[in-house]
Amino acid sequence: MTMPKRMVAVSWSMLLCLAAAAAVLKARAQLDSIGFISIDCGLPGTANSVDDATKLSYAPDAAFTDAGSNHNISVEYITPTLAKRYLNVRSFPDGARSCYMLRSLVPGLKYTLRAEFKYGNYDGLNRPPVFDLYAGVNFWSRVNASSQKVVVLEAIVVVPDDYVHVCLVNTGSGTPFISALELRPLKSSLYPQVNATQGLVLLSRRNCGPTDDADIVRYPDDPHDRVWLPFVNTARWEAISTSNKVRNLDDSEFAAPSKVMQTAITPRNASGRIEFFWLSEPQPGDPTPGYIVILHFSELQLLAGNAVRQQHLVLNDDLRFWSDYTPPYLLSDTIYSMKPLPRFSRYNFSINATANSTMPPIINAGEIFFVFSTANVGTDYSDVSAITAIKAKYRVKKNWAGDPCVPNNLTWDGLTCSYANSNPSRITRINMSFSGLDGDISSSFANLKAIQYLDLSYNNLTGSIPDALSQLPSLLVLDLTNNQLSGSIPPSLLKRIQDGSLNIQYGNNPNLCTNAASCKPAKGRNKLAVYVAVPVVLVVVIVSAVLVFPFLIRKKQGSTSTNITMRPQIETMMSYAPATLPPGDAHTQSSLHLENRKFTYKELEMITNNFQRVLGRGGFGEVYNGFLEDGTQVAIKLRSQFSNQGVKEFLIEAQILTRIHHKNLVSMIGYCKDGQYMALVYEYMSEGTLQEQIAGMPYAEMAATENS
Ligand SMILES: *[C@@H]1O[C@H](CO)[C@@H](O)[C@H](O)[C@H]1NC(C)=O
Ligand SMILES: *[C@@H]1O[C@H](CO)[C@@H](O)[C@H](O)[C@H]1NC(C)=O
Ligand SMILES: *[C@@H]1O[C@H](CO)[C@@H](O)[C@H](O)[C@H]1NC(C)=O
Ligand SMILES: *[C@@H]1O[C@H](CO)[C@@H](O)[C@H](O)[C@H]1NC(C)=O
Ligand SMILES: *[C@@H]1O[C@H](CO)[C@@H](O)[C@H](O)[C@H]1NC(C)=O
Ligand SMILES: *[C@@H]1O[C@H](CO)[C@@H](O)[C@H](O)[C@H]1NC(C)=O
Ligand SMILES: *[C@@H]1O[C@H](CO)[C@@H](O)[C@H](O)[C@H]1NC(C)=O
Ligand SMILES: *[C@@H]1O[C@H](CO)[C@@H](O)[C@H](O)[C@H]1NC(C)=O
Ligand SMILES: *[C@@H]1O[C@H](CO)[C@@H](O)[C@H](O)[C@H]1NC(C)=O
Ligand SMILES: *[C@@H]1O[C@H](CO)[C@@H](O)[C@H](O)[C@H]1NC(C)=O
């Protein structure tokens, strides 16, 4: 059992306020003026279709889903009375899961979700499909579509977030489709059986006693737009009715509408009983669902002096559901089970008059549900918001539908998530390489606070690298290679690289300025440009060559140095080395490394005073503070023995470090390769100094001085 993500107590009046606000912001919000969402799935164009019976307006579904295609049902299934929303469907031939996203909701509030399916041989196959329906990340129902009937599935759930997905999952028994989708807010006090971890699926909702069997009660007679089907059986029941209004008490848990309560049935045989039954319907994953029964009563006749109507409610002959019950006059009253009934394969309900009763039993309305678990928790709310914005910005299709991480076998392609027992899942890795992304890097990436690895390589991304990425606390690797990025690396990211917490790769961005000299802003450029451009750095090719090549060669013993097959990453980085490289092979280059001091592990121990002070922590190990003999403060990045990333990756990071460090920021002092230990030693610039430099801004001058 997991706790709800967020519970917000919301009053009905607040909901109405929100609904009103939503009406004002009509262009953006999905709710209509009364807080409903009504969708005519498969309706093309932008014009709504208006339902003849309720006068409710059904919106086309394009704004709610980005998958599937529209179809009309076959003409032979069109009848004059068929509601317009059933004339067309949206079908989803591609992908395991297809979803509608309903937004602008109030987290923690109860909602009725109603999905309607009219197959009508829309695909000409004459084979109604079977597929699964989910409310968010929780299984709701199996849909067994029918050619003749409209299948209507309704659930009452607490929605944990300000949105909910309704998803159709292909189970290999035909293409999922849908005709209509409705969402209705419910007062929090309604249906007390429903809470954050338990929802109700409707089996039947009946209004007893209307004269016309086409007399369906719903909106506006029921402000909650529940659909009350007529229960008419004139052979056994006699209908009674009143034109008086039947009131609800203010704290009514069900608020059965007056129109429904104004009719009731009573047995024709005065000594008879009212009987009804239902069969338990095994559900996938729940062979014996737990049923909830909710019966609505009101006395509609003003009884004479000593007349009494008193009745027993009996389940399966021997279980008294309720005894000696007298319905109140013109007041709506409800007898209901709070917990599921005992499990039977058949439920026989009867209502008989007590011995003292002078009147036959009555009933006005009834609802039967079974409970279902809504305990599965979706992905962290802010992660969903961010990745949804990213999906929209880059118009990602793939299988990006529904919850990004849950269930784990439907995780969005390219995403990796963490699943903690009691917490919502988080997005930890994103691989959107080779995804044809264009435009700038979405600022929403910076809202994915649990992300450790972000690969945007091999796209067409333009613009500059957002500063905000440096605020991602867990980000270890940022791969931006092979794009069209411009500007320079933001100082805040440089700092992350310096403190060893981030590995950034950005090769093959022809317009990205990584050389301090050429980044020098032209006179008159605005301050921001200066700010961004200057902290960018000279490429310390020599050091990188030193660090990478000898080890590569070691690893590849037997092959000649010119014949090394490098991993693409390394190749990218090598090809990035500027043309100023001295000609020659790796051996020639490595002879230049003497400028850098080689440390032994023992020396590092002394310098760091036995690795006492940790400055930072990266995926490769820790960064320690230390002092050289001459008092120079240094940062030592030590590759952890337990690092699950290999030597090569460490070297790659080392190379990046050396490459992006401008003299003004840090400089590489040396390295250590001593048995199992590998470390990089670089000058440490205290945060204050770095910030001063970044904030102090005589950067252009400094760079100029430096280069002169
Ligand atoms: C569906 O029917 C409407 C009107 O009858 C027609 O305009 C539309 O083109 C049809 N759509 C498809 C996909 O056949
Ligand atoms: C779907 O309904 C049909 C007819 O009502 C029934 O024969 C069939 O077994 C059902 N399929 C499933 C998977 O429930
Ligand atoms: C919801 O109700 C069920 C049944 O009464 C109960 O077991 C569960 O703990 C409740 N969940 C919450 C979050 O209150
Ligand atoms: C009326 O109901 C009683 C009890 O169920 C039964 O014994 C009797 O035969 C019924 N009368 C008629 C006329 O159906
Ligand atoms: C319910 O009623 C039917 C028909 O009267 C009967 O055959 C069946 O045994 C009853 N079931 C239970 C569980 O009482
Ligand atoms: C009503 O039904 C219950 C259970 O079947 C039975 O015990 C009781 O005698 C019945 N009462 C009358 C008045 O028929
Ligand atoms: C039924 O009537 C008797 C006699 O009037 C009375 O004593 C008894 O309390 C009544 N029972 C109920 C349940 O009202
Ligand atoms: C995902 O897992 C569930 C339960 O573990 C299983 O029923 C379902 O078929 C799986 N779906 C896919 C697409 O593999
Ligand atoms: C990232 O995605 C690309 C393209 O789909 C794939 O080639 C590459 O192997 C993926 N990288 C990782 C680390 O999974
Ligand atoms: C990038 O855009 C150019 C032109 O707009 C196009 O030719 C190229 O194929 C695109 N590259 C990728 C990887 O999408």
Side-chain angles (χ1 to χ4, degrees):
M1 286 291 133
T2 47
M3 286 298 291
K5 271 193 271 184
R6 284 173 304 135
M7 281 289 288
V8 179
V10 180
S11 70
W12 184 240
S13 57
M14 180 176 157
L15 176 69
L16 291 178
C17 281
L18 287 167
V24 176
L25 299 170
K26 215 174 203 157
R28 252 192 62 80
Q30 296 186 331
L31 304 176
D32 66 14
S33 59
I34 45 175
F36 290 5
I37 295 177
S38 309
I39 306 172
D40 183 341
C41 305
L43 179 68
T46 54
N48 289 358
S49 73
V50 176
D51 181 59
D52 293 334
T54 59
K55 307 294 180 230
L56 289 171
S57 195
Y58 284 72
D61 60 354
F64 301 87
T65 184
D66 55 10
S69 53
N70 299 347
H71 300 273
N72 289 334
I73 64 167
S74 282
V75 282
E76 64 264 36
Y77 293 96
I78 301 177
T79 58
T81 55
L82 191 66
K84 288 196 202 87
R85 63 183 179 279
Y86 303 134
L87 295 177
N88 37 250
V89 304
R90 182 174 288 266
S91 80
F92 301 95
D94 302 318
R97 173 175 62 175
S98 308
C99 301
Y100 283 76
M101 190 176 192
L102 311 181
R103 301 168 203 258
S104 314
L105 311 187
V106 180
L109 203 70
K110 271 173 212 169
Y111 289 90
T112 298
L113 293 172
R114 193 156 45 229
E116 302 184 304
F117 307 87
K118 168 79 182 173
Y119 172 64
N121 197 23
Y122 78 87
D123 54 3
L125 298 174
N126 249 321
R127 211 165 45 225
V130 177
F131 51 92
D132 286 350
L133 184 64
Y134 279 73
V137 292
N138 291 286
F139 177 82
W140 163 5
S141 272
R142 178 150 289 171
V143 181
N144 188 352
S146 151
S147 277
Q148 306 300 332
K149 288 186 302 185
V150 177
V151 173
V152 178
L153 293 169
E154 180 180 310
I156 301 176
V157 292
V158 169
V159 169
D161 296 305
D162 64 0
Y163 67 90
V164 66
H165 288 118
V166 173
C167 299
L168 315 181
V169 174
N170 192 323
T171 54
S173 308
T175 300
F177 75 95
I178 185 167
S179 306
L181 184 58
E182 298 167 353
L183 171 137
R184 309 288 182 244
L186 292 172
K187 253 199 290 195
S188 297
S189 55
L190 257 55
Y191 296 95
Q193 299 92 342
V194 176
N195 62 26
T197 55
Q198 175 174 283
L200 295 179
V201 173
L202 184 66
L203 183 75
S204 179
R205 177 183 283 126
R206 294 299 182 129
N207 172 23
C208 303
T211 45
D212 184 349
D213 67 1
D215 193 1
I216 295 168
V217 176
R218 57 181 297 182
Y219 187 82
D221 293 310
D222 184 348
H224 297 101
D225 191 28
R226 287 165 290 186
V227 177
W228 301 84
L229 298 176
F231 185 63
V232 184
N233 183 338
T234 46
R236 294 186 67 190
W237 326 123
E238 184 178 16
I240 56 175
S241 65
T242 178
S243 54
N244 291 319
K245 188 171 157 56
V246 178
R247 288 185 307 121
N248 267 295
L249 292 178
D250 286 346
D251 60 354
S252 163
E253 282 107 339
F254 301 96
S258 182
K259 175 92 183 279
V260 166
M261 297 305 292
Q262 280 169 315
T263 58
I265 53 169
T266 187
R268 285 195 181 280
N269 176 347
S271 55
R273 11 162 118 181
I274 296 169
E275 289 171 326
F276 61 95
F277 74 93
W278 72 90
L279 301 177
S280 177
E281 289 182 4
Q283 300 300 309
D286 190 0
T288 57
Y291 287 94
I292 296 278
V293 63
I294 301 168
L295 304 174
H296 305 283
F297 300 94
S298 177
E299 179 57 74
L300 303 180
Q301 296 170 330
L302 193 52
L303 302 183
N306 51 3
V308 175
R309 194 185 314 267
Q310 196 183 51
Q311 53 202 35
H312 296 310
L313 280 55
V314 181
L315 170 61
N316 286 353
D317 279 339
D318 52 357
L319 288 162
R320 291 260 176 115
F321 189 65
W322 201 272
S323 299
D324 306 323
Y325 174 69
T326 297
Y329 180 61
L330 295 184
L331 191 64
S332 179
D333 193 23
T334 304
I335 290 175
Y336 60 94
S337 52
M338 191 59 199
K339 293 242 163 17
L341 300 174
R343 322 240 160 179
F344 297 107
S345 55
R346 177 178 167 128
Y347 294 81
N348 291 340
F349 249 91
S350 70
I351 304 171
N352 64 359
T354 65
N356 281 4
S357 185
T358 62
M359 303 291 291
I362 62 166
I363 182 169
N364 305 59
E367 296 169 83
I368 301 159
F369 295 90
F370 58 85
V371 297
F372 78 114
S373 168
T374 57
N376 290 341
V377 176
T379 303
D380 175 79
Y381 177 78
S382 57
D383 281 4
V384 174
S385 308
I387 198 74
T388 303
I390 290 163
K391 174 188 168 186
K393 178 176 172 73
Y394 300 113
R395 301 172 299 277
V396 180
K397 287 270 159 65
K398 300 188 185 177
N399 70 340
W400 286 31
D403 191 276
C405 300
V406 184
N408 60 7
N409 60 359
L410 291 175
T411 303
W412 291 4
D413 283 346
L415 264 51
T416 307
C417 304
S418 66
Y419 301 91
N421 258 347
S422 52
N423 296 321
S425 337
R426 301 299 305 256
I427 298 172
T428 55
R429 293 167 72 95
I430 297 186
N431 178 359
M432 293 181 81
S433 63
F434 298 99
S435 298
L437 311 184
D438 52 18
D440 55 6
I441 297 179
S442 167
S443 58
S444 296
F445 284 114
N447 295 332
L448 293 162
K449 295 294 184 205
I451 198 165
Q452 297 168 7
Y453 172 99
L454 177 57
D455 186 349
L456 299 174
S457 62
Y458 295 92
N459 285 300
N460 259 347
L461 294 169
T462 53
S464 54
I465 302 172
D467 204 44
L469 292 177
S470 69
Q471 300 306 309
L472 290 170
S474 312
L475 188 64
L476 300 174
V477 178
L478 174 60
D479 191 342
L480 303 171
T481 50
N482 286 281
N483 277 292
Q484 308 295 327
L485 295 168
S486 53
S488 52
I489 318 276
S492 52
L493 278 173
L494 288 179
K495 184 166 179 306
R496 286 283 303 269
I497 296 161
Q498 184 201 10
D499 69 20
S501 64
L502 178 63
N503 171 351
I504 172 170
Q505 299 172 28
Y506 52 83
N508 282 348
N509 279 282
N511 304 320
L512 191 66
C513 189
T514 53
N515 178 310
S518 65
C519 287
K520 215 162 57 181
K523 267 204 164 57
R525 268 216 223 145
N526 71 43
K527 205 160 182 194
L528 186 66
V530 174
Y531 180 91
V532 180
V534 177
V536 176
V537 276
L538 284 166
V539 175
V540 189
V541 181
I542 297 158
V543 177
S544 53
V546 168
L547 284 165
V548 176
F549 282 86
F551 301 144
L552 280 179
I553 292 158
R554 258 184 70 112
K555 285 208 111 180
K556 288 276 174 184
Q557 280 191 0
S559 65
T560 69
S561 59
T562 47
N563 210 9
I564 296 169
T565 37
M566 292 182 230
R567 289 167 25 133
Q569 267 174 310
I570 298 176
E571 274 171 335
T572 304
M573 293 176 40
M574 289 305 157
S575 67
Y576 179 72
T580 53
L581 256 181
D585 65 14
H587 284 118
T588 351
Q589 289 164 27
S590 69
S591 67
L592 298 170
H593 84 278
L594 292 171
E595 286 172 31
N596 279 273
R597 177 168 164 192
K598 184 170 180 184
F599 292 86
T600 63
Y601 185 70
K602 266 227 120 42
E603 281 174 299
L604 295 188
E605 276 183 338
M606 287 176 54
I607 292 168
T608 58
N609 197 9
N610 233 344
F611 300 102
Q612 215 171 41
R613 196 172 146 226
V614 177
L615 292 173
R617 209 165 258 126
F620 303 87
E622 288 176 329
V623 182
Y624 297 93
N625 181 50
F627 293 92
L628 298 184
E629 308 86 326
D630 65 357
T632 309
Q633 193 176 4
V634 291
I636 297 174
K637 188 178 178 66
L638 182 65
R639 178 180 172 267
S640 162
Q641 295 165 253
F642 309 107
S643 168
N644 50 10
Q645 278 143 318
V647 172
K648 261 191 197 166
E649 283 85 353
F650 183 77
L651 293 172
I652 290 167
E653 186 175 357
Q655 195 195 25
I656 291 165
L657 277 171
T658 60
R659 178 166 294 160
I660 65 141
H661 289 153
H662 185 272
K663 265 202 249 175
N664 280 344
L665 296 175
V666 282
S667 58
M668 193 74 189
I669 290 174
Y671 66 97
C672 164
K673 172 81 183 78
D674 186 351
Q676 61 183 321
Y677 299 106
M678 296 177 76
L680 302 174
V681 181
Y682 49 96
E683 194 176 14
Y684 179 66
M685 192 155 283
S686 73
E687 196 164 306
T689 322
L690 185 71
Q691 273 172 357
E692 246 166 60
Q693 292 194 9
I694 291 169
M697 267 307 106
Y699 253 179
E701 283 81 343
M702 281 169 63
T705 322
E706 179 123 314
N707 291 321
S708 56

